[in-house]
Amino acid sequence: MVEFVREDPRGAADFVALGGTVLTLDPAGRRVRALAASGGRVIALGSEREVSKLIGPGTTVLDLAERTVIPGFVESHNHPAFFGMTLAAPVDAGSPPNDTIADIVGRVAQAAKDLGPGEWIRGFRYDDTLLADGRHPTRADLDRVSGRNPVVLTHVSGHFCTANSLALREVGITAETPDPPGGLIVRDARGEPTGVLVETAAFLVTSRLPGQGAGELAEALLLADEEYLANGVTSVHDTGIGLIGGAAELEAYALLRRAGKLRVRVRGYLFDGLLPGLDEGRPEAPDVRGADDKFAMTGVKIVADGSIQGKTGCLAEGYTCDPDEHGMMLLEPADLGRRIAALDAAGWQVAVHGNGDAAIDAIIDGYSRLGSPHGSGRRHRIEHCQTVREDQLDRMAAHDVLASFFVKHVYYWGDRHRDVFLGPERARRISPLVSARSRGIHFGLHSDTPVTPVPPLEGIWCAVRRITRQGKVLGPEQAVDVDAALRGYTIDAAYLAGEEDIKGSLEIGKLADLAVLSGDPTTIDPDRIRELTVDATVSGGEVVWRRETTGARP
């Protein structure tokens, strides 16, 4: 059986994929053998014989060779400019490849040799909890090899950075510099900065670095764009435009749009600190002029607390490793509530970062005051939502609050959450997908790249298997089936941005965005899901990436 919406006026489709399995992820969960698109939209789904009738001389035909087509992945929480900058950085400070601070310092020393005096050295992804030293690098570590170059290393979470003495001097941070609201300048016994900067204090450095103009950020966005396509991601929610480069990030997107180089569809969530009038309680209303299917400003991002692995996520009960430490709110709850109310009144969708359950309480309180039991219908969100409790999920359901769960925490930090930060009972409930689903809460899944790697297939595997780095199962009762996990990266993620009518499933009239997988994730052993490869990515009926071309533009 074939389903048509219309005949193409030229008598043929622009694009046809056939000879495999097409998982539509429509409400009925249909599986077909072929798909056709024209004008960037799906026009036919059905059998190979019927869809083949739409092939003409100018039709691009993709032979699936028994591979599997799914809707293009929708990544519901990422940081493309930040990601691209990590890809271009001269220092990879992550673990692996680094086991010790000395390993990282060696990489900084090499970068100092490669660059000229005075040039800034940037590194990303260091994780103090994976280093044998068990601590953050400090300016004393970095100063030994970088006396001529300012150095800034950004933590894998993005919530910390460490700077050498020259970098601190360049941005004017001294022993007399006060801690900014929502941040901390770590100091030694004499009151001197150690180089480690926490939360908003990190912005004192990262927001003032050179080389973050619109042109440089546009290049970073292109690097990220290529990696997304190589992993089947056709849409990204950029949750925090301006956190890295300020207003230059918006200009970078404008440059790419004018040049026609933006291939991944982006839905932008502006960092709240950049929205005019918000501090006075009168934020500008959304401007939808110029929005298109490639880029649109969708909402505003607020950061309420920090990260669990950095002990800055705000918990109701203390950290297992430090019971007197509860983390920190970056905004006072009353201020957070005022911002939510002002943004809602101005017409913005709001996405609030909340990892700790105390922060999540404050976020839900803010949303619950918007009026009707279901708020304003703007689909307000909680980002990450790591330690949300059952009673909080009840409140989220009552007020129609959505979630974007950072499900890869289970694999990348699950062992440390269990053994160090949260203890066994709280750790087993991180990303409680089954509990959320049982209440009808709409949620997407995400990787928070560059915090963890892009591949959505890895995130789907995490949601289904809940296995940690040590090979332990963490909270098996919160593991969802493959279909639910797939939807968390496709149609349910599209719902979070109000786009379920145009993307997220393969249906007549929707965007012809799809990923070609090496196998069917719904039929293979669940342990092998993350071993599947993306062999081609299609956006609007155009093949924009093929594995056999090693990522080269077609």
Side-chain angles (χ1 to χ4, degrees):
M1 176 182 178
V2 67
E3 179 185 340
F4 290 98
V5 66
R6 60 178 172 81
E7 292 288 343
D8 188 272
R10 293 163 294 179
D14 297 332
F15 170 82
V16 165
L18 74 177
T21 299
V22 179
L23 303 180
T24 65
L25 295 186
D26 69 2
R30 291 183 303 163
R31 305 163 73 95
V32 297
R33 291 284 296 176
L35 170 151
S38 190
R41 305 269 176 161
V42 177
I43 63 168
L45 294 156
S47 70
E48 293 178 55
R49 183 175 62 84
E50 291 296 330
V51 173
S52 293
K53 295 176 182 178
L54 295 174
I55 297 175
T59 303
T60 297
V61 178
L62 181 60
D63 180 5
L64 298 176
E66 297 307 321
R67 292 173 293 187
T68 299
V69 165
I70 64 169
F73 291 120
V74 179
E75 171 49 78
S76 63
H77 185 111
N78 249 230
H79 304 284
F82 184 17
F83 179 33
M85 291 173 68
T86 69
L87 294 172
V91 175
D92 180 358
S95 300
N98 303 290
D99 296 321
T100 66
I101 288 175
D103 293 337
I104 297 174
V105 170
R107 291 173 180 269
V108 172
Q110 184 60 52
K113 292 178 182 177
D114 296 339
L115 299 174
E119 292 191 62
W120 283 74
I121 297 173
R122 293 215 65 177
F124 292 91
R125 298 197 319 115
Y126 86 84
D127 187 342
D128 56 302
T129 67
L130 286 180
L131 293 170
D133 310 77
R135 63 175 177 84
H136 295 265
T138 66
R139 67 172 183 169
D141 298 312
L142 301 176
D143 284 351
R144 293 198 302 270
V145 298
S146 58
R148 302 185 307 165
N149 300 84
V151 178
V152 177
L153 304 179
T154 299
H155 192 267
V156 66
S157 68
H159 289 260
F160 307 83
C161 74
T162 187
N164 71 348
S165 294
L166 187 51
L168 293 174
R169 209 159 43 241
E170 289 280 340
V171 299
I173 293 177
T174 68
E176 286 70 44
T177 304
D179 293 337
L184 175 68
I185 300 171
V186 179
R187 305 169 197 269
D188 63 21
R190 298 173 300 159
E192 293 291 334
T194 66
V196 179
L197 305 170
V198 181
E199 299 297 347
T200 57
F203 300 159
L204 297 176
V205 174
T206 57
S207 64
R208 297 167 63 181
L209 294 178
Q212 293 184 165
E216 292 89 349
L217 289 169
E219 290 300 316
L221 289 171
L222 288 178
L223 290 175
D225 186 86
E226 189 72 24
E227 288 297 311
Y228 290 132
L229 295 178
N231 286 284
V233 176
T234 54
S235 291
V236 170
H237 298 177
D238 186 337
T239 45
I241 292 179
L243 270 169
I244 295 296
E249 283 188 50
L250 285 171
E251 179 56 28
Y253 275 119
L255 288 174
L256 294 180
R257 292 174 71 194
R258 288 195 294 268
K261 292 183 178 181
L262 192 62
R263 296 182 295 166
V264 173
R265 307 183 195 279
V266 175
R267 291 300 172 259
Y269 290 77
L270 185 70
F271 175 50
D272 67 324
L274 291 182
L275 184 62
L278 180 56
D279 288 339
E280 295 77 34
R282 297 183 299 276
E284 289 187 356
D287 183 357
V288 298
R289 292 173 299 176
D292 55 33
D293 62 9
K294 284 295 186 185
F295 182 90
M297 288 304 300
T298 301
V300 173
K301 162 76 171 296
I302 301 174
V303 182
D305 72 342
S307 70
I308 301 299
Q309 59 268 35
K311 295 197 298 183
T312 54
C314 193
L315 297 175
E317 297 181 11
Y319 283 82
T320 300
C321 57
D322 188 356
D324 293 330
E325 178 60 70
H326 290 255
M328 60 193 300
M329 291 290 293
L330 274 62
L331 293 170
E332 290 297 323
D335 188 21
L336 173 63
R338 284 193 294 269
R339 286 171 176 263
I340 288 173
L343 290 167
D344 178 79
W348 288 100
Q349 183 191 22
V350 184
V352 186
H353 163 120
N355 273 312
D357 59 335
I360 292 169
D361 265 334
I363 298 167
I364 299 172
D365 285 347
Y367 287 149
S368 69
R369 297 188 185 107
L370 295 180
S372 71
H374 293 284
S376 58
R378 300 196 206 285
R379 300 187 180 181
H380 299 316
R381 307 165 40 162
I382 300 178
E383 306 302 300
H384 309 320
C385 213
Q386 278 297 293
T387 60
V388 64
R389 305 185 307 262
E390 295 289 314
D391 64 296
Q392 293 175 323
L393 290 170
D394 289 338
R395 295 182 67 204
M396 289 175 65
H399 294 282
D400 202 21
V401 178
L402 315 183
S404 180
F405 284 113
F406 191 176
V407 71
K408 291 190 182 185
H409 253 271
V410 173
Y411 176 72
Y412 285 96
W413 283 282
D415 297 306
R416 284 165 284 166
H417 285 348
R418 180 194 62 231
D419 301 336
V420 179
F421 302 121
L422 299 175
E425 291 308 309
R426 284 186 294 179
R428 71 183 297 133
R429 291 201 67 265
I430 62 171
S431 297
L433 305 187
V434 170
S435 292
R437 198 172 183 220
S438 70
R439 291 166 170 80
I441 294 172
H442 284 90
F443 63 80
L445 304 176
H446 69 258
S447 64
D448 200 19
T449 302
V451 178
T452 66
V454 174
L457 287 164
E458 180 182 62
I460 290 166
W461 170 81
C462 286
V464 172
R465 294 293 288 118
R466 290 187 68 95
I467 292 177
T468 69
R469 283 193 185 195
Q470 293 178 3
K472 308 294 185 181
V473 178
L474 186 69
E477 66 277 4
Q478 295 296 344
V480 295
D481 60 29
V482 177
D483 181 74
L486 274 170
R487 291 176 184 275
Y489 267 107
T490 54
I491 186 64
D492 291 342
Y495 182 92
L496 264 60
E499 296 190 300
E500 72 276 14
D501 290 338
I502 62 168
K503 65 176 66 165
S505 62
L506 298 173
E507 300 179 67
I508 299 302
K510 284 193 171 185
L511 291 166
D513 294 352
L514 51 97
V516 179
L517 307 183
S518 58
D520 185 342
T522 68
T523 61
I524 66 170
D525 183 334
D527 282 325
R528 295 184 54 219
I529 291 174
R530 65 172 176 167
E531 299 173 9
L532 295 174
T533 61
V534 174
D535 291 343
T537 302
V538 176
S539 179
E542 178 186 357
V543 179
V544 290
W545 187 89
R546 292 178 186 263
R547 177 159 299 279
E548 56 264 34
T549 59
T550 62
R553 295 171 186 265

